[in-house]
Amino acid sequence: MTTTAATDAENSGAHPLFAQALRELGLDEVVPLIRRFPEATRTAAEAAAALGCELSQICKSLIFAADGVPVLVLMDGASRVDLELVRKELGADKVTRAKVDVVRETTGYAIGGVPPFGHRTRTRVLADRSLLGHETVWAAAGTPYTVFPMTPRDLVAHAGATLVDVRESAS
């Protein structure tokens, strides 16, 4: 990414760490697509309402602790993660939601703004197959006010994710 593109990424409202990740991944074309909202889009429902898209088109980036080790799960906004399926997928004894400080320490971002890639530390990433049901999904760009679009396959590839089935079934 050129210096101008780097400045554009930061001017878009994207978090500087995420702007750097876009630069390093050669994703200059994503920068002009970043959308910034005056109101927080911290939840999937808020983001979908702001964008005028389906809730399932939002990609949630959720950090869990598998036997105490952080793991990122990418899930569509209309679904919930089944912790038992994540536990089985990882071969872990116990999977829990990560605490707020662990999320920030692991990713470099606050809850509600965690993007699917561009994190402070490298973690294992699982992506639920439900994301593949859309041509485009929207994910946080490092802040609770910014989102960006990407094809699900590209998002999964840039996140270094393994495709899995960890969605909670409707009961």
Side-chain angles (χ1 to χ4, degrees), residues 63-65 68-70 98-109:
I63 300 290
F64 294 92
V69 177
K99 295 187 182 325
V100 173
D101 59 329
V102 171
V103 172
R104 169 116 28 210
E105 181 182 304
T106 301
T107 67
Y109 307 97

Side-chain angles (χ1 to χ4, degrees), residues 33 35 51 53 57-59 136-140 147-150:
L33 304 176
R35 302 265 312 265
L51 289 162
C53 71
Q57 286 180 270
I58 303 300
C59 175
T136 301
V137 292
W138 293 84
V147 293
F148 71 98
M150 187 169 277

Side-chain angles (χ1 to χ4, degrees), residues 18-132:
F18 186 68
Q20 178 183 340
L22 292 176
R23 266 194 307 278
E24 291 171 359
L25 291 168
L27 294 174
D28 299 359
E29 72 278 4
V30 172
V31 174
L33 304 176
I34 294 171
R35 302 265 312 265
R36 180 172 175 75
F37 296 99
E39 301 296 322
T41 54
R42 186 170 274 118
T43 68
E46 290 170 344
L51 289 162
C53 71
E54 293 178 34
L55 185 56
S56 61
Q57 286 180 270
I58 303 300
C59 175
K60 299 186 289 192
S61 298
L62 306 167
I63 300 290
F64 294 92
D67 296 336
V69 177
V71 61
L72 173 65
V73 177
L74 304 177
M75 177 61 69
D76 79 80
S79 302
R80 294 176 49 95
V81 175
D82 184 321
L83 296 183
E84 180 60 16
L85 292 176
V86 173
R87 186 193 70 72
K88 287 179 182 174
E89 186 66 42
L90 297 173
D93 290 325
K94 184 178 181 182
V95 174
T96 58
R97 281 202 174 266
K99 295 187 182 325
V100 173
D101 59 329
V102 171
V103 172
R104 169 116 28 210
E105 181 182 304
T106 301
T107 67
Y109 307 97
I111 291 174
V114 177
F117 51 83
H119 297 175
R120 178 180 288 154
T121 61
R122 192 158 186 81
T123 57
R124 184 152 180 206
V125 183
L126 303 177
D128 190 79
R129 286 181 211 288
S130 61
L131 291 169
L132 301 179

